[in-house]
Amino acid sequence: IAEAVGTPFYAYSHKTLVRHFRVFDGAFKDLPHLTCFAVKANSNLAILRLFVEEGGGVDIVSGGELYRALQAGVDPRKIVYSGVYKGAGDIADAVEMQAGIYTAESIHQAELLQMEAAKRDTVLPVLLRLNAGSQFGMSREDLYYIFSNMDQFRNLQIEGIHFFAGTQRKKIAQQEKELQMLKELFEQIHIQYGFVLKKLEYGPGLPVPYFT
C-alpha cells in the first residue's frame, strides 16, 4: 500500500466498519429509528459513503460537514444538524439543502431557526437539546419557555429532545437512569403542555476499548 499510494496513509477495514454498524443498527430493528454517524469523528468520504450504502444517516455540526455529507451522497432527510455554534448563515444553507432535522442548542438558536423558517414560509422539524450537566444545551426552564411560547415559534415543529451525556461511559446503569428520566420528561411535557414528542436523539457515550 505504501508503494502504491505513498505515506502517511490510513487503512480502514471495510468489513469491520460494516459489521459494527449492522450490529448496532440491528439492535433497534423492531423500533423506528435512524442510526447516524458523527461526521466530526471522521469525514473521510469513503467511510461516509460506506454508512450511506448501509442506510445510515449522519450527524453534522458545521456547514463544512454539511457539504461533506452531501458529497458522500447522504439523503438530506437523514441529516441531523446539531452544532453548538451554528449561526444564521449555517441554518440558511442547511434549510436550502433541505436537511432532515435540526437541533436547537439554546433559545437563541430556536429563534434563528424560527426566523429562517418564517422567511421561507416553511416549517422546520426541531429537537430541543437538554443540558446534561455540561455547558451545552438548555436547562429544563428553557425547554419549558419554548413550549409555553409556541406562538413565537409557530414555524417550528418540535419533534423531540436531544440528549448527549458524554463519552466512554462504562456503566449501563447510567444509561438506564437517563432513559427513565427522559421518559418521565416526555410524559411531563405531554401532560403540562399537550405536546406528544415523537423522537429522542440520544448519545449514550458507549465505551470503545481502544487497546484490546
Side-chain angles (χ1 to χ4, degrees):
I1 296 174
E3 289 178 356
V5 303
T7 59
F9 67 84
Y10 291 92
Y12 301 98
S13 168
H14 183 282
K15 288 184 178 179
T16 299
L17 291 170
V18 168
R19 183 174 73 251
H20 286 194
F21 178 88
R22 290 178 179 175
V23 168
F24 190 88
D25 194 60
F28 300 93
K29 66 180 183 299
D30 297 325
L31 298 168
H33 72 283
L34 175 63
T35 301
C36 291
F37 177 73
V39 177
K40 68 179 178 182
N42 192 323
S43 61
N44 183 302
L45 286 176
I47 289 178
L48 297 182
R49 290 186 181 117
L50 179 153
F51 290 122
V52 170
E53 291 167 1
E54 288 296 311
V58 296
D59 178 276
I60 63 170
V61 298
S62 70
E65 291 182 10
L66 172 63
Y67 285 103
R68 199 77 174 159
L70 294 172
Q71 274 186 293
V74 175
D75 181 343
R77 293 170 298 179
K78 293 184 177 182
I79 294 176
V80 179
Y81 199 163
S82 301
V84 177
Y85 296 113
K86 62 180 176 290
D90 301 312
I91 291 170
D93 287 344
V95 175
E96 177 71 25
M97 296 175 191
Q98 299 182 315
I101 196 164
Y102 305 80
T103 299
E105 310 269 341
S106 63
I107 292 175
H108 176 61
Q109 279 195 358
E111 292 169 343
L112 291 177
L113 288 163
Q114 166 60 33
M115 288 172 57
E116 188 61 33
K119 188 190 305 180
R120 296 172 182 268
D121 192 26
T122 189
V123 175
L124 298 180
V126 173
L127 300 170
L128 303 179
R129 181 171 183 176
L130 174 64
N131 182 287
S134 69
Q135 69 270 41
F136 304 120
M138 299 186 230
S139 65
R140 285 185 179 236
E141 289 70 28
D142 288 345
L143 295 184
Y144 300 154
Y145 172 84
I146 290 175
F147 286 115
S148 298
N149 294 275
M150 283 306 297
D151 57 318
Q152 299 177 30
F153 302 99
R154 59 177 61 90
N155 291 83
L156 304 186
Q157 176 66 44
I158 308 300
E159 300 223 342
I161 300 294
H162 165 89
F163 189 79
F164 177 73
T167 57
Q168 294 296 86
R169 303 167 69 238
K170 299 178 181 179
K171 296 180 179 179
I172 199 68
Q174 294 174 309
Q175 285 87 341
E176 291 174 342
K177 183 177 179 181
E178 287 165 0
L179 288 169
Q180 181 60 34
M181 176 274 291
L182 290 164
K183 180 175 181 291
E184 292 171 0
L185 176 63
F186 274 50
E187 291 170 350
Q188 180 185 351
I189 289 170
H190 181 207
I191 293 169
Q192 191 166 340
Y193 301 101
F195 280 85
V196 178
L197 301 178
K198 300 178 180 179
K199 294 182 179 178
L200 169 65
E201 183 188 0
Y202 182 53
L206 298 174
V208 175
Y210 287 114
F211 304 110
T212 59

